[in-house]
Amino acid sequence: MATKKEIRKAVLAERRALDEETVSLASQVICRKIMDIDAYAEATDVCLYMPINNEVNVLLLAEIAEEQGKRVWVPKVVKKGEADKAGDMVFNRFEGGDSTVTGAYDITESTSEEILEPNDSTVIIMPGAVFTPWRDRIGYGGGFYDKFLDEHPQVKTIAACYDLQVVPEIPVEEFDKKPDYVVSETSIYR
């Protein structure tokens, strides 16, 4: 079997090759599917990620979630780790376009000082590079979500990806956290 790094590289190259229209249409379909999942519907706090490099645009959910009375949060790296360790990630309140800055790893972050206190009505819509139908996940190598979920096991998780990111098998390590759901254009894996 190929290594995590090799699989990640191949799948991300394929994702980067997607055109704007495909990303837009697939993102709309995936976000509609996410809204139908109980973990999302019942959540009072919805954590989204800021999409980069053709990731599924889950920010389409931000305005809808606010209209539904949910609070919206986005990740922020508050401390970078040493070379072999991830730093810490928190989720800051997201209030739209003007209240953002470029943060760690050139990812847009909220400027809000309000930090999420995760609870059992928190749902995290998480990114990833590669998934399996059994919800195994390869992230981007930083371990930020694995660490956060290890510290907050009560939160629900939904990973958003394209069909091309779902493969039959990947190497799995003990510390890898599986999302509760993996949602693509055509499937919801649970």
Side-chain angles (χ1 to χ4, degrees):
M1 183 186 311
T3 66
K4 278 185 171 184
K5 200 172 192 172
E6 292 165 338
I7 296 168
R8 179 189 300 124
K9 185 178 179 183
V11 171
L12 291 182
E14 219 179 315
R15 190 181 76 191
R16 270 192 298 280
L18 293 173
D19 62 78
E20 202 175 306
E21 185 180 9
T22 301
V23 170
S24 175
L25 293 173
S27 294
Q28 291 172 46
V29 169
I30 292 164
C31 287
R32 276 198 296 275
K33 286 179 179 290
I34 288 172
M35 287 191 299
D36 288 339
I37 294 173
D38 287 346
Y40 171 87
E42 295 164 5
T44 55
D45 293 298
V46 176
C47 301
L48 303 174
Y49 58 84
M50 302 301 265
I52 58 169
N53 300 324
N54 277 352
E55 285 177 321
V56 173
N57 182 7
V58 297
L59 285 183
L60 296 172
L61 293 168
E63 197 175 319
I64 296 164
E66 289 277 348
E67 287 169 4
Q68 294 170 329
K70 301 176 188 302
R71 291 177 302 227
V72 177
W73 308 83
V74 293
K76 177 178 186 154
V77 175
V78 291
K79 180 184 87 176
K80 280 192 182 183
E82 296 98 52
D84 62 338
K85 288 193 171 88
D88 291 326
M89 178 179 74
V90 296
F91 286 89
N92 286 35
R93 188 73 186 265
F94 179 67
E95 281 143 359
D98 293 342
S99 59
T100 60
V101 293
T102 300
Y105 306 101
D106 289 328
I107 296 172
T108 304
E109 297 177 343
S110 170
T111 56
S112 170
E113 296 296 315
E114 190 178 350
I115 295 175
L116 172 71
E117 291 290 335
N119 58 59
D120 58 8
S121 65
T122 300
V123 67
I124 296 178
I125 314 298
M126 62 195 290
V130 187
F131 300 90
T132 70
W134 298 273
R135 305 183 335 275
D136 298 312
R137 172 183 177 268
I138 296 177
Y140 298 110
F144 291 102
Y145 281 88
D146 291 325
K147 184 175 177 186
F148 187 89
L149 296 174
D150 202 39
E151 293 168 3
H152 305 284
Q154 75 278 30
V155 303
K156 312 282 186 306
T157 52
I158 302 171
C161 68
Y162 305 103
D163 288 330
L164 67 84
Q165 292 176 263
V166 180
V167 301
E169 187 181 20
I170 58 175
V172 179
E173 295 174 65
E174 189 180 312
F175 55 80
D176 291 331
K177 297 289 180 207
K178 286 185 180 195
D180 297 315
Y181 301 87
V182 174
V183 180
S184 71
E185 304 95 305
T186 61
S187 302
I188 298 177
Y189 304 100
R190 51 189 91 201

